[in-house]
Each structure stands twice: as C-alpha cells, then as structure tokens.
C-alpha cells in the first residue's frame, strides 16, 4: 500500500482524471450540438390537446419544465400559425390538459411566409374557381400544378432581370457622361435616355404579363382550419410542402429529412434568415477562405523560406521569429480594427477617390467587402503558415540539402526542386490550419464586410464575375446573428444549432486533414532518436 | 416631446382605423405596390437592430419584385446609421430613434443639406419580464428606479421584486437587469424617456441583440429587460406601463400606441440623403415606396411591429417628392 | 553545362535571395506597422488643442458680440414653452418673470404669466446671478461666498439650496451653467474656478444639494466672466487683464490659453462652439478658430475615477453614448481592463491545471497508440470556432447553471471525491491482475465514467440538499444571507467557456514541450529505479518547464484577446468587482460592441483604437516573454 503511494501511482490517476474531464467536456459539447440540431429536420408528430376550458391546441411538443415559482409541470408546444396567433410557441400547464390525441388527418404545411401551419384541410379551390375534393391526394396534385406554374414564371423573371440590368448599365453610362460634362455630351445622353425608355417599355409589358400570371396562380387556394376552428384560406403558391406527420412512415420521414438537408445546403435563407437554406453563407465562407489563402500562402511561405534557408541565424532572425509569433498571438479583434482603419477607410477610400469618384459619396471599395475581409484574415493567418512551413523545412535532414548542393545545384534550385516538394505536406498543414482558423473567426469580420443578408453572391455571371467589393454572408456570423438578433428567437434556435453543426463539421474536416498531412510527413522524414 | 406630437398627429389622423388589441390588420386604404422598370443596382442598408429583421423582410420582398437589385443589410444599432450615411457606405439608414443634433450637424457638414427621415412603422417598446412573474404593472418612475443609477425620476432605488410591488416567492429575489448595447436606438430611446437621460446601472447586462435580451429574460425568472415588442416570445410577457407612479396603466397594444397613451411608443425611421429638389436614386425611392405600401406594412405586422395608418403613410411619402 | 545556364541559374538564385529577404523583412515591418497605424489613430486623443487667430470677426457673427445682454437682466427663451427672465433689483432682490405655455395633445395652448420677487432672506449681497438655460433653475452668488439655487420648474419658485461655498467669505464674481444645465461654474475674486452640482448627500434622503465637484485651472487675479461652450462641457474663463482660459469641466484640463491684450467687455461662442469672439474695452474685436477635438479626454478620465454629473461620488464609468446631445460620454478604461483580467484570470485558473495535467498524462503515461488518437482530438478542439463556444455558453450553459447552481458546486466536491475513491478501489487491481497491468496507459478511459457518475450524482442530490439547507433556493440564500447577487451571466460561465477555448492551446503546446524532453533522460531515470510518476514529476517536468510556462503564457494571451465568447456569454457589465457571481466587460468585447456606432475619428473611435493598442501591447509582452522562454528551452535541449 505504502509503495503504491510512494511510487506516485495515484497522481498518475489524477492526471488521467483531468484528461478525462477535458474529454468529457468536449463530448458534452458535441452531444449538445448534435442533440439540438439533428432533430430539427425530423418531423415530429402533431398532438392535439383538449384543454379544460374547452379549447383545443394542435402542435408539436418541444419541451417541458416546471413553473419557476410554483413548480407546476407544463409543456411547450410549437403551435405555428404565426399569422393567427402572433407567436409560434405556447406553454400549456399539464393540469389544464383534459386529453391528448394524435389525429391522423392533421396537416403540417411549410409555407413561404409566417412559418409552419398546423391544421385540418377544409376545402380546395382550383385555379378556375371550381371546388375540388378536400383530400391530400388532390392537394398534392393541385400543389404540383401550381409549382409547375411557378417554374414557368422563372423565364419571364429572367428576361425582366436582363432588361433591368441593361437599363442600369445605361443609367451608369449616363451618369458618367453627366459627370464628365453634361453639356458636351448632351447628344449622347439624349440617345442613351431614349434607349433606356424603350427598355423600360418592354419591361413594363413583361411586368404586366408576370403580374397577370401570378394573380391567376394565386386563385388556386386551400381552406384550412386550426384546432379551434379558426379558418385560414391560403393560396397554394404560399405552400412549399405539406405532410400529415401522424400517418407518415419512418421511411417517408427520413426521405423528407434528406430533402431538407439538401435545401439547407443549397437554398437561400427565408424569413429573415430563420428558415430556408444557408447557401449564401456557405458560399461566402468558402470563397472568403479561398481568397484569404491566395494572399496568405505566398507571403507565409516566402517569409518562412527566408527565415529558414536564407537569413543568417542571429539577432535579426530571432527578432523576426518573435515578431511572427506575436502576430499569431495578437487578438483577432485588433486585426479587425486594423482592417477597418487601414484597408477599408485607408486603401479602400483612396481607391474610391482615384477610380470611382463619379460615384461618390456611394463608396465602392471604401466600405467593408469580401476583399478586405480576406486580406484582414490573411494577415491574421499568415503566421500560422509561416510557422508550419518553417517547421517542415527544419525537419528535412541537412544531408539532403548538402547532397543537392554538392551535385552542383544552386541554392534556389535546391529549394524549388528538392526542399519545397518535400515540405509540401507541412505547408499544406499550415494552410489548412489557417483555413480552419479563418472559417471560425467572426469578431474581425463583423467590422470589415460580413452582413446579415447578402443573397447576391460575390461571384456571378455578370462581368467582371468576381465582385470583390460586395459584402457577404458568413456561417459564424450567421450563428451570432440568428442566435442573438432574430425576431423569433424560439423558432430560430434550432437553426442556430444546425448552423453550428455545419460550421463545426467544416472546421473538423479541415483540421483532421491538416493533422493527417502532418503525420504523414512526420513518418516520412523523422529520423528516429534514441 | 416631438415624438409625442408626431404620434398624436398620427392618432388624430386615423381614429377610425384604430384596430383591436389582439389582431392587427393593416389599413385597407394603404396603396398597393406597383412594380416599375429601371430599378436595379446596389442597395445597402446599415443601421438599427430593431429594424434589422423588418429591413430583411422588406429586402426579401423587394428582391422578389426586382431580382437584380443587390441588397445588403447590416444592423448593429441605430448609431451606425448616421455614421454609414455620412461615410456613404449605405443609402438607407434605418433608425429606431431620431438623429441627434450632432449627427445631423456632421451629416450637413458632409452633404450640405439635412438628412431626410421617413417614418416607416410604429413600435411600442416593451418592458419584458419572465412569463412566471406575477407583476401586474409598472410605472416608468419605477422602471427608472430599477434601471438607473442616477434615478432622475426621483424614486428610491429598487433592487428586489418586492420593492416593485410583487408578493410571494419572487418578492425576495434581486432583480436581474437585461438591456441593449449602446449602439442601439432602443438603448438611447429607453434612456431618454424612461431614465430621463440618466445613466444605466453598471449591472445592466448589455446584450448585442434584442433577441438575446428576450432570451435572457425568458430563462431567468427574476429578470427584467426592454426591447421592441416585435421580439416577444412565449417565454416572456410585456408589462403594462404607466408614466407616473399611480397613473393609469396601458398595455403595449396597437390602440394605445395610436392614441399616444402607451408611454414608450415611438416611430421607427429610415434616413436617407436626399438633396432638396432632386429625386432619390430610383432604387432607394422604390424601396421606400414599397415599405410604405400595403405589402410593406403587412411585413411590419409580420415582424410584430405596428403598421402606419394610410393617412400618415401618405404623409411620409410626400417627403420623397 | 553551358555557362549561360549556370549564369542564368546564378542570376535566378540572386534574385530569389533578394526577393525572399525582402518578403521576410516585410513581415517585421508589418508587425510594427500595424501597431503604429492603430496608435496613430488613437494618438490625437492626447494632442494639445490649438486656436488660430482670425484676421477679423466674421461679419455674420458680429451681431453676437453686440447683443450680449446687460448683466442686470437675463432672459431665457424656451421656444414653444414660453420664456423666463430675471432681473436684479437695486434692493438686493431678484424679480422673476415667467411666461409658460402648455400644450395638450390636441395642440391647444394654455399660457400663464407669472411674476414674483423672490423674498427669501439672503446671506449677503448678490454679486452674480444666472438663469438656467432650460428655465428650471435660478442661481445666485453673494459677495461673501454663498451660493443660492431656486427651483423654478413649478408654479412657485422655491429656494432649494443655500450653501456657504467658501469659508473665507471671498466674493463670487462670475456664475454660469455648464452645457447640460446640471452643473454650475463659479468664478471668484481669488481667480479660482470651481463647478458645483446637486448631489445626494448621505443621510439627507433623496434630496440633492449643491456640492463642490471640480476645481479647474484658474487665475491669480479675479475671474470676471465665465462663458459655457455650446458644444461640450468646456468653459471660457476671463480675467480682468484679457487672459482667456479654455478649461474642460470633467477632465479638469486647461485646454488653451489665449491673450486678448486688454480687458474684455463682451464674449461669445459662434459656429456651434468652434469660434470664440471677444470684444475688448478698447472697441477692438477679435476672433479665434478653436480646434479642440477631444476636450473630455485626459489620462485621468481614461484611467482615474471621475465625478460625473448625476453621480454621488467619483467612479470608474464606461457609458459611451446616448440618444441626446447633451449627454457626456464616460470613457473609463479601468472597468474594461479589470474585466479583461478578471475573465482571463478565472479562465486560466480553470484551464491551466486541467490542460497541464492532461498534457503530462498524455505525454508520459498514455500508451503510444492511444496518444496518436487523443492528441489530434484535442487539437481539433482548438479549432472549434469561438462563436460556437460563446453561443453555447450564453444560451445553453448560463440558463442551465442558473437552475443548477448547487449541482455545480456539488460536482466540484463529488467528482474529486469519486476519483479518489476510484484510486483506492483500483489499487488492489492495479498490480495484481492482468487486467490491472493492461490498463496502464489507459487509466483515463476508466475514469471517464467516474466523472460522468460524479456529475450525475451531483444533479441527483443537489435538489434535496438545496431544499434542506438553503430553503430550496441557493441563489436566494446567497442574496439574503451573504448579500451576494448571483447573475445569470457571470464569471463562472466565462471561466468555463473561455477555459474550454484555451485548454486545447495550452494542452498542445505543453504536450509538445513535455514530449520533446529527450528520451534518454527518462530512460536513465527509469533505469535508476524511479517510478513513472517520479520520472515525470522530477525529471521531465523540470526540464520542460520553460516550454510549459510558455504554453500557459500563450493561453493567457489568447484568453486576453478572445472576443466572441466574452461578448456572447457575459452581460458586458462594466463592473469592477471580483465576485465570481457577476459579469464583466472586456476590452475586446467592448471594441466589437461599440466600434460600429463610433463616428470615424471621433473620441469614442479613437478611444477604442487606444484599447486595441493596449490589447496589442499586452499580448505583445506576453508572447515575447513566452517566445524568449521557448527559445531558451530550445537552446538547452537543442540537439532534438
């Protein structure tokens, strides 16, 4: 026994216990995120509660707790129908409930606006005004028809969009001519104005056509009622999808689950970012990170090569190393402040003055944008690349360099032909690590170009394709925004967890890749010690 | 004071349309929005967080009408609007309070003319407590005594719920305070009206968004917080308010907002840089018209705020001419 | 090889060397450049103000000088609310005349005309008086050093204050109200300038009385005139010889000293306080263009306690903005610096032991195969975005802890106890069974369920314990028995969340340092019969100490600058108290919250840049120290 203590075995256990605690915390975090997000797309059954006061409530059970002061039990229902009840959620005291049932024919509608609708189908009206049988099959058929019709509108919208764009281009031309001297260019201006008027006419025609078609589509409606008998007539164009959760099989629910995940990844957000997809945010995040790597890679690698291969070991190199490590340790918010003061107001403002003076005071580059955000983050992550590259260069045995030089290669040739290929995994590690850091960074981005809503992507089909001046959406900021600033925070919370999971998955994949690369490299070059 | 008179004017314009307490319908006389051509380009909005979601909803609707309008919305607080308008980073400056003299002065220095404000919605700023809080009503005097360290309204400090008139198990509990960060117009407006420009206590938890104020109050039975009524959830309730202690209390409903009786009612604005005698850029003008149309005001209701009556919407539209 | 190719490659080599050197040097320049740029933005806060003398008084403002009212009558125009005027009668009394207009909500006006002579007994002859510009107060001063204040906001004027301002009975020669109409500036025959405001005195209940707050840099000769700036809480003070001093009330700074060359008979601010005009006794008028961008900032207001208007004592206050103009920004960096250190300290107390012991275990005792899996897992943890941690801490952990506070404390007791029990229970198995020996290097896996059990048990026994000892509510008990307020967003949350974010950083670096200790050292120690713990504790740890220390420093640096977690999980309350149960506001979160609203190049904007400089310098020092340590460590064990 005495020996056991003397040898310090219990202390080993204590050390092990701390590790266990750290792991436990990590697991808890993952469990919380997974638990709150994975269930979001699963369609829960609809329960109808009969209350003691005679009213009825239809909804999905989302939580339960006890009254903070009296300890009475109660449950929280998502009752939807925001347009009827003003709130999506409702607390019901257990003791007020007289009965529960799960009606097979209860509908759940996903709508374009106002969130979900829970209720019962009462009647259907076709586009020509005639009534149709009020059952799910007919509803599905009619809905399909309407959605086909909606698809048809797309081509008109596209045409309108083209006209509009042409018109805008003309307007800018006129503005520029006007700026350069309204009188000298008056003939040109008049011609362009004429041209523009023609486009406007075409646009109006199309617009009328579109409006007519929309109003025709809107004629097909469905009449629903909620659990209490309140009726609501909905145009079918408003309905995204409907189902009857209580009579659905697990298989059908899984299908919907997958469809919704696809929507999440590929659709634009709706309803002030609380519904719909995350595509612009995913796209913005990825594009920003790629742009950032374009800036941070060359600088990082060159700086590392300088430090390791070219600089003479001495005070200066030591200073640079300290500087680099300091850069890595500077709070990201400071980079944000720097980016705002230097890139946005400094460089951006000057660019505007030089090249876009006819558009002032509306700034082009003198405001936050994806370019400035990428540069700011590049500055933030350059040290990571430097350190990783340096380390991987350092781990290449001296003999290889000497061999190459002995064979008559110059230093530069040795570098490009021998050392860099060998160091590639290490450089990649640095790059991926810096990407992971950049994906998760939010604070500096808030200052230099991330916005709540920017459905127009910074990359599209119109010249010059890359719009570096545009603001963009970002997954990390999306979490902050929806979690702290959405109008309907209860309904939005699952969305936040889903976004969190997505961000986490991206970061974890990136980091794991980096670690794999590094391990591969280590295996390849480490000479065994001992 | 000015706000009060604006609201009073609104009230007299539209007594007939004052709707019921629970369900708010938009004024049928509001004009429907008509799409026109030549609307495209960039539209950038920076400003109030209270108006952030409404701007986003409007942007969604507007983009449906004009697919190649490129809209960017940022909402970190009303104080960001003048800064952005002056720097030219935004064409629309949504604000949940009026511009300060200094801000107008800075604006004038840059542009040579005053900013134009357009009222786009009504809001009743609500004082929220946890849903389990039995409190029936509060006066702004008490609210000041709860939130302020300078207590310009003069009541002695209130630190527990018992001092605010609550009995039962909550009475002994210290009040936990939630508020907005200083960039928000809600922060400024609440400070001006409830605190008579006094200072907040250091213990007011400044949250970076109204939603997190509501979320904080929903999760803490002893909490109190303020934000726009549009952020209400099932976890909180809005306390009926009176101005002076012992005065008549009013719910934060549409009727009381229109009549000017609810003490924390305010107008929400969008500021633009409009040169006198010249029209606004088309895309900005159309956006504002859309916001003040029937569809636009339906969005206001959807977001939980109060719509403008037709007469005052028309009044606001006149400013655009 | 043809010589051209050799030449070419040599040339390439030279160019590459130059390019790469330039790139490397660019990085150093960048670091210094960043600091300089941020500092450059914040420095103008401390520039001295300047004044340019204009050639002549601009004609559009000339009328301001002639229109200065006679000293015996003062009138205030309250615009749509009417007007007030006061007149000093020859019999040492003040006559007050008021025209008050009230408007009801429908716009009908009710006008009342009030005229009264203030009949209160006075302590001396009135030497100066001042009508507040909002028509709420009337101030008077006597030739023997008394200050009087009448509250005229109601129908009847009421003498609210009679204060003997100066015991030496000096004559008060000038009075004026400072912008905001809360403070009163007093100039006397000894040349002293003081400001007074109503303060709640202890024991006097809710009533407020005038008290001396600030003493400003004055003259050696009597103050003859005080002129408040319409822009901020500055004053222009004049002595009898034409010396003009611009002083700021709150910062007590002497902003400018100007010479008019002779006695001044009239003075006015124009152009919203940007120009100062004076008319001399010799009939010559002069004007200055003032440039005082940041009058309210001084080292004292940034880092010292300041007595602000409406406060009962000097305090460190951060309250940066409001919806109205006469609000004075209160920009004390002390609560923010305090908050930063408080958050960092608590987080490090939580994170450092866990991370270091965990690293020690991983590097020394864990089986190599498992180490290859655990280490990457912890490294991945380091990549978890802080916005995720902040969100979970604010919206999941904070409410959870709010409801289970006792369970948390129970966890702190139960988990270690259970681990100790497990160690005891393990002992007979450890050396005597195959299973026990096989578990060497895997112990922590066995401990995972113990930790989970401890937490579960804490959750189970906390409610009955709470009911038995704390009347069912620990937070309530803390408040009513100990007077400690428990806030939902508190420092415990920050400690856990911020700690969680820095654990992987400390862990990774420390583990590297520990693993890099040459194997021959450990081998020698083990060969001499030391146990694995003795080797780790007495041999490995001391050798790796600089590396371990630098790991802690780097973690510290990261915690200091962390923004999103603090922003989302605290209430951002600028409190200076060490209590674990209330929140804090850190420098970094403060920047993130406030910079969007800060008008570019305004005082707040520059102050925020100043706090960024502070953060930069702080992390610079920490990181440099850590780096130097690490380099020393490398030298020591340089062979590997």
């Amino acid at each position: 026994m005495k020996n056991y203590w003397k040898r310090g075995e219990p202390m080993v256990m204590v050390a092990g216990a701390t590790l266990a605690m750290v792991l436990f915390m990590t697991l808890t975090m993952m469990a919380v995120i997974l638990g709150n997000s994975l269930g979001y797309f699963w369609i829960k059954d609809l329960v109808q509660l009969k209350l003691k006061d005679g009213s009825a409530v239809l909804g999905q059970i989302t939580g339960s707790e006890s009254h903070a002061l009296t300890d009475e039990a109660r449950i929280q229902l998502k009752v939807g129908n925001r347009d009827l009840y003003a709130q999506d959620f409702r607390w019901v005291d257990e003791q007020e409930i007289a009965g529960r049932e799960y009606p097979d024919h209860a509908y759940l509608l996903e709508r374009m606006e106002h969130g979900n609708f829970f209720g019962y189908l009462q009647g259907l009206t076709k586009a020509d005004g005639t009534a149709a049988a009020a059952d799910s099959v007919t509803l599905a058929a009619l809905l399909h028809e309407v959605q086909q019709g909606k698809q048809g509108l797309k081509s008109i919208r596209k045409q309108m969009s083209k006209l509009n764009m042409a018109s805008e281009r003309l307007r800018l031309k006129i503005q520029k001519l006007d700026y350069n001297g309204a009188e000298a260019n008056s003939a040109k201006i008049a011609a362009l104005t004429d041209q523009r008027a023609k486009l406007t006419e075409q646009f109006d025609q199309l617009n009328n056509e579109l409006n007519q078609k929309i109003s025709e589509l809107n004629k097909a409606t469905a009449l629903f009622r909620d659990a209490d008998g309140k009726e609501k007539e909905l145009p079918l164009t408003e309905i995204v999808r409907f189902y009857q959760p209580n009579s659905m099989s697990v298989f059908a629910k899984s299908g919907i689950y997958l469809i919704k995940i696809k929507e999440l990844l590929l659709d634009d957000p709706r309803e002030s970012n609380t519904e719909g997809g995350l595509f612009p945010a995913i796209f913005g995040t990825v594009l920003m990170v790629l742009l950032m790597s374009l800036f941070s890679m060359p600088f990082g690698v060159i700086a590392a090569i300088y430090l390791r291969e070219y600089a003479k070991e001495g005070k200066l190199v030591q200073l640079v190393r300290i500087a680099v490590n300091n850069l890595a340790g500077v709070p990201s918010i400071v980079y944000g402040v720097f980016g705002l003061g230097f890139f946005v107001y400094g460089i951006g403002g000057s660019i505007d003055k030089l090249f876009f003076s006819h558009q002032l005071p509306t700034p082009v580059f003198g405001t936050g944008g994806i370019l400035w955000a990428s540069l700011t983050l590049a500055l933030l992550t350059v040290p990571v690349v430097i350190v990783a590259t340096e380390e991987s260069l350092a781990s290449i045995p001296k003999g290889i360099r000497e061999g190459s030089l002995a064979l008559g290669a110059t230093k530069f040739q040795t570098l490009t032909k021998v050392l860099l290929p060998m160091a590639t995994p290490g450089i990649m590690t640095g790059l991926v690590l810096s990407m992971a850091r950049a994906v998760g960074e939010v604070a500096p981005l808030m200052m230099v170009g991330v916005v709540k809503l920017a459905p127009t992507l910074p990359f599209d089909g119109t010249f010059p394709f890359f719009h570096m001046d545009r603001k963009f959406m970002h997954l990390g900021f999306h979490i902050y925004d929806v979690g702290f600033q959405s109008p309907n925070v209860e309904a939005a919370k699952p969305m936040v967890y889903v976004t969190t999971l997505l961000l986490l998955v991206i970061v974890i994949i990136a980091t794991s890749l980096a670690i794999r690369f590094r391990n591969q490299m280590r295996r390849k070059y480490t000479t065994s010690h001992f | 004071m000015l706000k009060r008179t604006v609201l009073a004017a609104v009230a007299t314009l539209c007594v007939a349309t004052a709707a019921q307490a629970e369900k708010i319908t938009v004024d049928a006389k509001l004009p429907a929005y008509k799409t026109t051509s030549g609307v495209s380009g960039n539209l950038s909005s920076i400003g109030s967080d209270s108006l952030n979601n409404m701007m986003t909803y409007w942007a969604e609707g507007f983009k449906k009408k004009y697919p190649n309008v490129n809209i960017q919305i940022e909402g970190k607080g009303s104080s960001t609007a003048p800064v952005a308008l002056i720097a030219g980073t935004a064409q629309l400056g949504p604000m949940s309070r009026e511009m300060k003299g200094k801000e107008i002065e800075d604006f004038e220095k840059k542009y040579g003319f005053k900013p134009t404000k357009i009222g786009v919605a009504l809001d009743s700023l609500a004082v929220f407590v946890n849903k389990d809080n039995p409190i029936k009503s509060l006066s702004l005097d008490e609210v000041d005594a709860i939130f302020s360290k300078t207590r310009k309204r003069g009541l002695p400090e209130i630190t527990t719920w018992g001092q605010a008139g609550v009995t039962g198990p909550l009475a002994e509990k210290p009040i936990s305070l939630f508020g907005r960060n200083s960039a928000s117009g809600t922060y400024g407006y609440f400070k001006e009206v409830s605190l008579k420009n006094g200072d907040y206590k250091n213990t007011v938890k400044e949250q970076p968004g109204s939603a997190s104020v509501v979320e904080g109050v929903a999760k803490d039975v002893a909490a109190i917080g303020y934000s726009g009524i549009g952020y209400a959830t099932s976890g909180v309730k809005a306390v009926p308010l009176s101005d002076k202690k012992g005065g008549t209390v009013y719910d934060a409903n549409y009727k009381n907002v229109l009549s000017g009786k609810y003490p924390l009612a305010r107008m929400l604005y969008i500021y633009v840089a409009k040169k006198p005698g010249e029209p606004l850029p088309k895309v900005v003008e159309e956006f504002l018209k859309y916001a003040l149309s029937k569809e636009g005001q339906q969005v206001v209701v959807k977001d939980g705020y109060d719509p403008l009556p037709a007469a005052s919407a028309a009044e606001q539209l006149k400013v655009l001419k | 090889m043809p010589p051209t190719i050799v030449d070419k490659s040599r040339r390439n080599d030279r160019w590459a060397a130059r390019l790469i050197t330039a790139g490397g040097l660019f990085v150093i320049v960048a670091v210094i450049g960043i600091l300089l740029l941020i500092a450059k933005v914040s420095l103008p806060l401390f520039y001295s103000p300047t004044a340019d003398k204009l050639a002549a008084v601009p004609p559009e403002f000339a009328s301001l000088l002639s229109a200065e009212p006679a000293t015996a009558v003062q009138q205030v125009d309250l615009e749509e609310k009417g007007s007030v005027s006061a007149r000093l009668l020859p019999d040492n009394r003040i006559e007050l005349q008021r025209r008050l207009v009230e408007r009801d909500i429908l716009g009908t006006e009710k006008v009342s005309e009030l005229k009264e002579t203030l009949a209160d007994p006075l302590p001396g002859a009135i030497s100066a008086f001042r009508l507040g510009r909002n028509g709420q107060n009337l101030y008077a001063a006597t030739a023997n050093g008394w200050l009087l204040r009448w509250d005229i906001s109601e129908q009847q004027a009421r003498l609210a204050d009679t204060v003997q301002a100066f015991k030496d009975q000096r004559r008060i020669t000038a009075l004026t109200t400072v912008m905001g109409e809360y403070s009163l500036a007093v100039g006397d025959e000894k040349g002293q300038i003081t400001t007074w405001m109503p303060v709640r005195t202890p024991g006097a209940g809710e009533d407020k009385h005038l008290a001396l707050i600030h003493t400003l840099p004055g003259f050696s000769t009597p103050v003859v005139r005080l002129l408040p700036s319409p822009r901020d809480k500055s004053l222009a003070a004049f002595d009898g010889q034409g010396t003009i001093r611009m002083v700021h009330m709150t910062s007590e700074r002497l902003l400018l000293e100007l010479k008019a060359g002779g006695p001044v008979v009239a003075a006015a601010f124009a152009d919203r306080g940007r120009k100062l005009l004076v008319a001399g006794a010799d009939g010559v008028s002069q004007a200055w263009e003032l440039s005082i961008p940041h009058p309210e900032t001084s080292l004292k207001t940034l880092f010292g306690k300041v007595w602000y208007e409406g406060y009962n004592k000097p305090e460190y206050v951060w309250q940066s903005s409001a919806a109205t103009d006469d609000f004075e920004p209160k920009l004390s960096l002390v609560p923010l610096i305090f908050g930063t250190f408080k958050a960092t300290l608590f987080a490090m107390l939580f994170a450092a032991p866990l991370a270091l012991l965990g690293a020690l275990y991983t590097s020394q005792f864990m089986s190599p195969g498992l180490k290859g899996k655990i280490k990457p897992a912890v490294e991945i943890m380091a990549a978890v975005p802080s916005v995720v941690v902040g969100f979970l801490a604010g919206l999941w952990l904070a409410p959870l802890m709010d409801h289970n506070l006792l369970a948390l404390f129970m966890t702190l007791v139960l988990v270690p106890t259970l681990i100790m029990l497990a160690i005891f229970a393990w002992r007979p198995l450890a050396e005597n069974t195959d299973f026990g020996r096989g578990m060497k290097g895997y112990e922590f896996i066995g401990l995972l369920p113990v930790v989970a059990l401890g937490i579960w048990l804490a959750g189970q026994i906390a409610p009955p314990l709470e009911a038995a000892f704390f009347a069912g509510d620990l937070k309530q008990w803390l408040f009513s028995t100990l007077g400690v307020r428990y806030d939902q967003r508190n420092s415990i949350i920050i400690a856990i969340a911020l700690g969680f974010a820095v654990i992987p950083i400390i862990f990774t670096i420390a583990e590297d340092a520990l693993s890099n200790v040459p194997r021959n050292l450990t081998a020698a120690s083990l060969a001499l019969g030391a146990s694995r713990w003795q080797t780790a504790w007495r041999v490995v740890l001391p050798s790796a100490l600089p590396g371990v220390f630098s790991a802690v420093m780097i973690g510290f640096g990261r915690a200091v600058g962390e923004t999103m977690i603090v922003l989302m999980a605290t209430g951002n309350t600028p409190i200076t108290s060490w209590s674990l149960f209330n929140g804090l506001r850190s420098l970094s979160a403060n920047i993130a919250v406030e910079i969007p609203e800060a008008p570019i190049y305004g005082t707040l904007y520059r102050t925020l840049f100043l706090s960024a400089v502070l953060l930069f310098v702080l992390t610079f020092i920490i990181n440099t120290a850590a780096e130097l340590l690490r380099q020393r460590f490398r030298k020591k064990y340089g062979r590997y």
Side-chain angles (χ1 to χ4, degrees), chain A residues 97-248:
Chain A
I97 301 170
R100 299 176 190 221
E101 50 178 320
Y102 291 84
D104 276 345
H105 52 289
Y107 279 81
L108 191 165
L109 305 180
E110 277 176 33
R111 299 185 292 177
M112 297 296 288
E113 279 181 55
H114 302 296
N116 291 351
F117 186 91
F118 303 143
Y120 303 94
L121 184 61
Q122 291 295 93
L124 282 170
T125 316
K126 287 187 197 160
D128 55 12
T130 54
D135 56 51
S136 61
V137 183
T138 326
L139 178 60
L142 282 177
L143 192 60
H144 183 72
E145 223 169 84
V146 167
Q147 275 163 354
Q148 293 274 302
K150 262 166 114 179
Q151 287 290 324
L153 299 180
K154 266 193 185 160
S155 69
I156 302 183
R157 286 222 168 94
K158 225 178 201 169
Q159 262 174 293
M160 283 171 73
S161 167
K162 255 186 207 154
L163 284 174
N164 212 343
M165 209 124 64
S167 168
E168 170 73 7
R169 225 173 281 149
L170 286 176
R171 191 185 69 78
L172 282 177
K173 258 189 206 163
I174 296 171
Q175 197 187 7
K176 203 162 186 179
L177 286 171
D178 202 47
Y179 181 79
N180 292 337
E183 267 140 56
N185 296 318
S186 63
K188 274 189 202 162
I189 293 178
L192 289 174
T193 317
D194 248 22
Q195 236 178 313
R196 212 173 152 220
K198 270 185 206 136
L199 290 179
T200 311
E201 207 174 294
Q202 285 177 18
F203 181 89
D204 286 344
Q205 264 178 6
L206 281 176
N207 191 22
N208 281 340
E209 199 183 322
L210 181 77
N211 285 341
Q212 213 177 341
K213 284 200 172 160
I214 289 176
S215 63
E216 246 162 58
L217 278 177
N218 278 345
K219 274 183 192 154
T221 60
L223 185 69
F224 282 90
R225 72 169 174 82
D226 76 346
D228 246 359
K230 247 188 238 166
E231 291 193 335
K232 172 85 188 171
E233 188 158 30
L234 284 169
L236 292 184
T237 47
E238 277 290 300
I239 300 174
V240 179
R241 204 178 289 124
F242 75 90
Y243 15 76
Q244 294 172 289
N246 296 353
S247 49
M248 269 167 93

Side-chain angles (χ1 to χ4, degrees), chain A residues 431-460:
Chain A
L431 184 66
V432 178
L433 277 180
S434 72
M435 282 173 152
R437 172 106 197 254
V439 166
E441 206 52 78
V442 175
L445 291 182
M446 280 160 50
M447 298 179 191
V448 291
V450 157
V451 286
K452 178 189 178 82
L453 179 76
T456 325
L457 302 175
F459 176 76
D460 61 23

Side-chain angles (χ1 to χ4, degrees), chain C residues 545-604:
Chain C
L545 208 54
V548 170
F549 189 68
S550 99
V552 175
M553 296 285 267
I554 286 170
F556 190 86
R558 184 59 69 87
V560 164
E562 179 50 59
T563 307
M564 292 314 280
I565 294 177
V566 187
L567 174 65
M568 292 164 94
T570 60
N572 298 309
T573 46
I575 303 175
T576 41
S577 126
W578 281 109
S579 167
L580 262 179
F581 298 120
N582 52 33
L584 51 93
R585 188 185 185 100
S586 79
L587 283 168
S588 52
N590 186 57
I591 296 174
V593 167
E594 306 244 349
I595 209 153
E597 71 171 298
I600 181 165
Y601 304 136
T603 306
L604 178 60

Side-chain angles (χ1 to χ4, degrees), chain A residues 65-69 74 76 82-84 87 89-91 112-114 157 160-162 164-165 167-168 171 196 199-201 203-204 207 211 269-274 345 361-363 366-368 446-447 450-456 469-472 477 480-490 493, chain B residues 23 34-42 44 46 49 52-53 56-57 59-60 63-76 83 86-91 110-111 130-134 169-170 173 180 207-215 219 221 230-236 282 298 302-303:
Chain A
E65 62 166 30
S66 53
H67 190 284
L69 299 173
R74 57 185 161 185
Q76 190 188 36
R82 204 181 306 160
D83 42 344
L84 294 181
Q87 276 174 11
F89 290 83
R90 183 170 163 185
W91 287 99
M112 297 296 288
E113 279 181 55
H114 302 296
R157 286 222 168 94
M160 283 171 73
S161 167
K162 255 186 207 154
N164 212 343
M165 209 124 64
S167 168
E168 170 73 7
R171 191 185 69 78
R196 212 173 152 220
L199 290 179
T200 311
E201 207 174 294
F203 181 89
D204 286 344
N207 191 22
N211 285 341
R270 276 188 289 122
E271 297 289 88
S272 188
N273 295 356
T274 55
Y345 289 140
T362 313
T367 167
M446 280 160 50
M447 298 179 191
V450 157
V451 286
K452 178 189 178 82
L453 179 76
T456 325
D469 54 317
R470 281 195 190 158
K471 300 192 177 183
F472 63 106
F477 182 72
Y480 172 66
D481 178 71
V482 179
F484 280 65
Q485 293 166 342
S486 72
N488 196 340
V489 62
E490 281 174 313
K493 230 171 160 185
Chain B
K23 204 177 166 194
K34 278 200 217 77
T35 331
T36 65
S37 75
V39 179
S40 60
N42 291 323
S44 165
I46 297 179
D49 150 76
N52 200 8
N53 294 301
T56 314
Y57 281 131
E60 282 169 14
K63 207 168 152 55
K64 250 184 231 160
K65 309 251 174 214
Y66 303 106
N68 36 19
V69 172
N70 169 18
I71 307 185
Q72 295 165 343
I73 312 258
E74 227 174 307
K76 286 181 209 130
V83 179
I86 293 165
T89 42
Q91 295 110 304
K110 166 86 185 257
Y111 288 98
N130 189 280
K131 61 182 181 298
D132 293 335
N133 193 322
L170 192 63
K173 284 194 196 294
R180 284 302 316 281
Q207 296 298 304
S210 295
S212 61
V213 171
V214 171
E215 185 67 12
K219 290 279 159 62
V221 69
Y231 287 90
T233 66
S234 70
V236 298
K282 185 113 186 181
Q298 266 158 1
K302 178 161 119 184
D303 198 22

